[in-house]
Amino acid sequence: MILFQNIRFLDTTLRDGEQTPGVALSTEEKLLIAQKLDDLGISTIEAGSAITSAGERESIKAITAEGLNAEICSYCRVMKPDVDYALECDVDSIHLVVPVSDLHINVKLRKDRETVRRMAMDVTEYAKDHGLIVELSGEDASRADLDFLKSLYTSGIDAGADRICFCDTVGLLVPEKTGTIFKDLSSSLSVPVAIHCHDDFGLAVSNTLSALRNGAQEAHMTINGIGERAGNTSFEEVVMALEWLYRYNTGIKCDEIYKVSRLVSRLTGIAVAVNKSLVGANAFTHEAGIHVHGLIADTSTYEPMKPEMIGRQRKVVLGKHAGKSSVTLALKELGLEADASQLNEIVSRVKELGDHGKKITDSDLQSIAETVLEIYRESKVNLEEFTVVSGNKITPTASVKLRLNGDNVVEAGIGDGPVDAAINAIKKAIAGVADIQLEEYHVDAITGGTDALVEVIVKLSKDGRMVTSRGARTDIIMASVEAVLNGINQLMQE
């Protein structure tokens, strides 16, 4: 059984990837990406198509002048001027693309099969005579007559082609057919055979792996799978499937993949889908409590591989699915510890926010945790019940029931608003024990939206001693009550 032999990678991010609608890279951007591709260990970088424009040639020249380890390639049509422009850019090789399906030959070129065969041979010989490596590609090969395709490839090899490529130009292959085709091509042709897939049906990676398993020795891919229409074969997916699923050593510096993915996304302006495998934002992000509980015991429970393998880090986000394990892990990362009762309260507040559709950030969690940790610090004053009434033409009124040194105290207060009324009620309730003054009051919305988590910070004083405390809730009144009670408990500590 044929299985992965001497695989090399041609990256076409700078050519096929740049053909993504709306993408145009500057010379500096192309050079930066090329350098990072070379650092990864890519065999061949298709730097562009020299015939395209003067600006494109400037970019290709900048890349060839960099002295990279990778072979630098220019895309060419079966026309000698294309080769001349490629030579002007001092590339190592050309990707010579020949339409091979009758649809392309008759409709696009308005020629016949034999004319196209002669064109392919003539341009291949011309390029070889000028010292270029030639990779001869059959465009729309998946819709071509296979016997004609093989004969054209054979003619190209006779003319000097160094490699042959089968292009699934509109993504019509299925893995089973791909395997059959590449067993045939790899056994009947005398040079390495490559696969170039598009992802119109989401099968580019599957077809590429099938081709490689059945004799192909080169894969054409792009970073993040960018390209025309639905894109090209995703580089990171093929490489990591080979490395992790098939245990084949690709020679790629896998721990640099994520950095290159982010760079390409930033420079092209093409956002990576959050659920994209390996490099999407959610690929190694966990929320569900049962998953995080498993991760703490053994990361392989809910991760196919360690994120560090491609240069990533695991993330735990908190929301309504969070459990004690998620919160414990997140608190640990913030340098905070909570006992069982504190943890239960923090989890409850996190879920309350999650039920409002919020994702809890580190700053949210820190605010919630610090608030809860202060509440549970041997509180002398605890809130038992709280009611507030406010509205148009109604004097804001609040009533509180506090547990004060073991006794229940009930008081009411009015104010300019519901928060002011609540604070006045609390001050009256503890007046017999301590005279607390509110010196400063400040509120911040930590998260956005009308149901945001708000953090209230108050400065309270008693007998010349001053403390600052906070409260964090989705309800500004409750956050204010919480902040005041936290401060009172601090001031009443002996």
Side-chain angles (χ1 to χ4, degrees):
M1 181 177 67
I2 301 170
L3 186 65
F4 307 131
Q5 299 177 351
N6 305 315
I7 297 173
R8 65 197 313 276
F9 301 112
L10 182 149
D11 185 278
T12 183
T13 302
L14 300 178
R15 198 275 300 174
D16 226 340
E18 197 192 21
Q19 290 175 202
T20 304
V23 174
L25 297 168
S26 68
T27 294
E28 292 75 17
E29 290 168 338
K30 278 201 165 192
L31 180 57
L32 179 57
I33 292 173
Q35 290 168 336
K36 297 303 181 183
L37 293 175
D38 191 57
D39 290 342
L40 280 176
I42 298 292
S43 309
T44 301
I45 298 172
E46 189 171 32
S49 176
I51 192 69
T52 300
S53 67
E56 183 81 338
R57 290 189 286 279
E58 179 186 337
S59 297
I60 298 173
K61 288 177 184 177
I63 293 170
T64 56
E66 192 67 13
L68 303 177
N69 293 318
E71 176 186 305
I72 307 304
C73 175
S74 173
Y75 174 98
C76 289
R77 301 167 299 175
V78 275
M79 299 177 69
K80 291 180 181 178
D82 286 41
V83 178
D84 292 334
Y85 277 120
L87 289 165
E88 180 187 316
C89 296
D90 199 28
V91 297
D92 303 303
S93 64
I94 60 169
H95 178 205
L96 184 60
V97 180
V98 185
V100 291
S101 69
D102 288 332
L103 175 65
H104 277 231
I105 291 170
N106 298 330
V107 176
K108 189 173 81 169
L109 293 185
R110 298 184 183 278
K111 299 185 185 301
D112 57 50
R113 290 181 178 184
E114 290 310 308
T115 300
V116 168
R117 183 200 304 273
R118 287 194 301 272
M119 290 170 64
M121 293 180 68
D122 287 347
V123 178
T124 297
E125 289 174 350
Y126 182 74
K128 292 302 296 180
D129 288 344
H130 287 80
L132 290 168
I133 298 168
V134 176
E135 182 161 326
L136 180 64
S137 270
E139 183 182 17
D140 202 29
S142 48
R143 290 191 287 192
D145 176 78
L146 192 57
D147 289 335
F148 167 68
L149 180 65
K150 288 168 63 177
S151 71
L152 183 141
Y153 284 156
T154 300
S155 296
I157 293 168
D158 291 342
D162 301 277
R163 298 188 292 265
I164 294 298
C165 182
F166 184 104
C167 294
D168 185 23
T169 302
V170 290
L172 295 176
L173 283 178
V174 293
E176 298 81 3
K177 183 178 180 181
T178 302
T180 300
I181 290 170
F182 276 83
K183 278 181 184 176
D184 184 4
L185 293 179
S186 62
S187 62
S188 60
L189 299 176
S190 60
V191 299
V193 183
I195 179 73
H196 178 112
C197 291
H198 284 259
D199 205 33
D200 296 80
F201 285 88
L203 294 173
V205 169
S206 297
N207 285 318
T208 297
L209 290 171
S210 179
L212 293 173
R213 283 192 84 245
N214 289 282
Q217 290 181 266
E218 181 183 79
H220 290 203
M221 300 177 289
T222 63
I223 300 297
N224 299 334
I226 63 173
E228 294 184 81
R229 302 184 314 280
N232 289 51
T233 304
S234 170
F235 168 83
E236 56 279 359
E237 293 174 19
V238 169
V239 168
M240 293 316 299
L242 289 171
E243 289 273 354
W244 194 248
L245 302 180
Y246 290 103
R247 303 298 177 182
Y248 175 84
N249 182 4
T250 63
I252 295 296
K253 293 179 182 176
C254 298
D255 59 355
E256 294 295 313
I257 286 176
Y258 185 61
K259 291 180 183 177
V260 179
S261 166
R262 299 309 306 148
L263 175 70
V264 170
S265 176
R266 177 171 61 85
L267 296 183
T268 59
I270 302 174
V272 175
V274 296
N275 64 332
K276 187 183 186 302
S277 51
L278 300 171
V279 294
N282 290 350
F284 295 96
T285 299
H286 308 272
E287 178 182 336
I290 189 171
H291 282 207
V292 178
H293 180 75
L295 287 169
I296 292 172
D298 185 338
T299 58
S300 65
T301 52
Y302 288 103
E303 286 178 347
M305 67 181 196
K306 293 186 182 299
E308 292 80 7
M309 287 192 65
I310 57 169
R312 299 200 62 173
Q313 291 185 333
R314 180 178 303 107
K315 284 174 55 181
V316 174
V317 299
L318 301 177
K320 71 177 181 179
H321 300 110
K324 292 180 183 179
S325 298
S326 310
V327 174
T328 299
L329 186 59
L331 288 173
K332 184 177 180 181
E333 292 176 352
L334 293 173
L336 299 172
E337 292 185 9
D339 62 27
S341 60
Q342 292 167 344
L343 181 60
N344 286 336
E345 178 62 19
I346 293 169
V347 170
S348 175
R349 296 191 186 201
V350 165
K351 286 181 175 291
E352 179 187 347
L353 270 179
D355 284 335
H356 285 80
K358 296 293 183 183
K359 295 291 184 186
I360 289 77
T361 66
D362 286 349
S363 59
D364 296 337
L365 179 63
Q366 184 155 6
S367 181
I368 291 170
E370 289 177 354
T371 299
V372 170
L373 294 179
E374 287 182 359
I375 287 175
Y376 282 84
R377 193 176 294 156
E378 296 184 19
S379 300
K380 292 191 174 184
V381 181
N382 293 289
L383 181 65
E384 298 290 321
E385 295 178 10
F386 170 72
T387 304
V388 65
V389 178
S390 181
N392 187 31
K393 296 183 180 180
I394 297 175
T395 301
T397 305
S399 63
V400 295
K401 180 180 179 181
L402 302 180
R403 187 75 173 171
L404 179 59
N405 292 329
D407 298 322
N408 287 332
V409 179
V410 178
E411 275 292 351
I414 61 173
D416 293 333
V419 171
D420 189 39
I423 293 173
N424 287 336
I426 293 171
K427 287 172 65 179
K428 286 175 65 177
I430 65 167
V433 177
D435 182 22
I436 304 292
Q437 299 299 318
L438 176 64
E439 303 293 342
E440 291 183 18
Y441 175 92
H442 181 73
V443 61
D444 276 324
I446 299 176
T447 51
T450 56
D451 54 355
L453 176 69
V454 294
E455 181 177 55
V456 172
I457 301 172
V458 297
K459 188 175 287 185
L460 303 176
S461 65
K462 172 180 176 288
D463 301 330
R465 183 184 171 208
M466 192 169 295
V467 298
T468 300
S469 61
R470 70 184 67 205
R473 295 274 190 171
T474 53
D475 184 324
I476 189 173
I477 303 173
M478 283 304 301
S480 302
V481 168
E482 195 168 71
V484 170
L485 289 176
N486 284 342
I488 289 171
N489 278 299
Q490 291 180 56
L491 288 170
M492 292 180 67
Q493 295 293 325
E494 294 183 356

